[in-house]
Amino acid sequence: MGRQFFVGGNFKMNGTIKSITSIIENLNNAKLDEKTEVVIAPPALYLLLAREHLRESIEVAAQNIFDKPNGAFTGEVSAEQIRDSGIGWVLAGHSERRVILGEDDKFVASKTKAALDSGLSVILCVGETLEQREAERTIDVVTKQLQAVADTVDDWSKIVIAYEPVWAIGTGKVATTAQAQEVHAAIRHWLSSKVSAEAAAATRIIYGGSVSEKNCRDLAKQEDIDGFLVGGASLKPAFVDIINSQL
């Protein structure tokens, strides 16, 4: 059985009650590819709003969690609290948190483990900067980020890997289909050699970085691209077109 196509929408720090309700209504009323798994990640304040009003076939993800179960961690939310709220997914390792907030590979791995231990599924983000790509270090950087998780986690069945080249996020620049496929294939090879052949065959590897309704169909045709993590376009009606990119 093939890997189920996966499309995630990361709203980032965008939206209001009014605009997110409108996005949800659009998704609820749209004809979506039934073979594609869809997850949206609104800001934390709107997680319960999304889960309450969104059709059951679409899942909701938190954009962040802390790696401790509870305690004196002002401003943080635990995996257990997310799970208790009926939210099934979480993002980990997004480059904006790695770069702006200084989250290193070890901390990302710790949060990933905390999420999995609490029964959540994880969209694990990895990717290189433009400087690292130009230095031909892309594969080294990405596999180092993945290895930190492999050192902490044994079971990858509830992890979706999102390859997001940092230089393509929100810039309008997109990795060519060949560039994206090359990295996705390298990630799958790494999974086979460092985790297991079963994990390599089953783990979905999705692409993120200025994905739009204009480029999604060509990217979706690549052998090792199993879907998308969509940023800005997930706030627009075109998100439906990206979800349906295999139709």
Side-chain angles (χ1 to χ4, degrees):
M1 186 174 178
R3 296 178 295 271
Q4 184 181 15
F5 204 72
F6 183 102
V7 176
N10 178 15
F11 293 5
K12 307 189 181 185
M13 198 175 72
N14 293 300
T16 61
I17 291 175
K18 182 178 179 181
S19 66
I20 289 175
T21 299
S22 177
I23 291 169
I24 289 169
E25 288 176 351
N26 184 53
L27 290 171
N28 285 346
N29 294 326
K31 181 173 175 52
L32 304 179
D33 185 350
E34 295 179 354
K35 292 179 287 189
T36 295
E37 184 170 11
V38 181
V39 178
I40 62 168
L45 193 60
Y46 306 120
L47 286 169
L48 293 179
L49 171 74
R51 184 60 283 162
E52 181 180 354
H53 295 287
L54 199 61
R55 62 206 261 186
E56 289 185 5
S57 60
I58 299 177
E59 292 286 343
V60 178
Q63 294 179 18
N64 180 50
I65 58 162
F66 199 55
D67 64 340
K68 302 295 189 294
N70 53 61
F73 304 106
T74 301
E76 297 295 336
V77 178
S78 73
E80 285 84 352
Q81 290 167 329
I82 293 297
R83 186 67 180 172
D84 185 52
S85 299
I87 308 302
W89 286 81
V90 67
L91 273 68
H94 194 282
S95 67
E96 289 157 3
R97 298 196 64 84
R98 291 180 188 264
V99 174
I100 298 170
L101 297 169
E103 295 189 358
D104 60 17
D105 295 345
K106 185 176 180 180
F107 187 41
V108 171
S110 182
K111 293 204 296 185
T112 300
K113 185 177 188 305
L116 295 173
D117 287 349
S118 294
L120 298 176
S121 297
V122 178
I123 301 171
L124 173 63
C125 303
V126 297
E128 83 286 6
T129 65
L130 182 59
E131 181 182 15
Q132 289 165 336
R133 171 163 280 278
E134 290 177 342
E136 299 184 350
R137 295 183 53 221
T138 295
I139 306 305
D140 290 341
V141 170
V142 169
T143 54
K144 177 177 177 289
Q145 292 168 342
L146 291 168
Q147 187 61 53
V149 176
D151 290 341
T152 308
V153 169
D154 293 322
D155 183 3
W156 286 67
S157 63
K158 298 187 75 171
I159 295 177
V160 170
I161 298 172
Y163 167 59
E164 295 197 298
V166 179
W167 48 271
I169 298 174
T171 63
K173 298 179 180 178
V174 185
T176 66
T177 53
Q179 286 174 323
Q181 167 59 25
E182 178 185 22
V183 179
H184 281 234
I187 291 172
R188 204 170 301 286
H189 176 75
W190 176 88
L191 282 167
S192 180
S193 61
K194 300 296 184 180
V195 181
S196 69
E198 291 76 17
T203 301
R204 290 172 291 182
I205 307 170
I206 62 177
Y207 173 77
S210 296
V211 175
S212 72
E213 74 279 13
K214 296 177 181 178
N215 59 36
C216 62
R217 292 187 183 278
D218 285 340
L219 287 163
K221 294 175 184 175
Q222 303 303 304
E223 180 180 357
D224 291 296
I225 296 180
D226 302 314
F228 306 111
L229 182 58
V230 185
S234 67
L235 303 168
K236 304 172 184 177
F239 186 47
V240 171
D241 296 324
I242 298 172
I243 292 170
N244 291 335
S245 58
Q246 288 202 311
L247 289 179

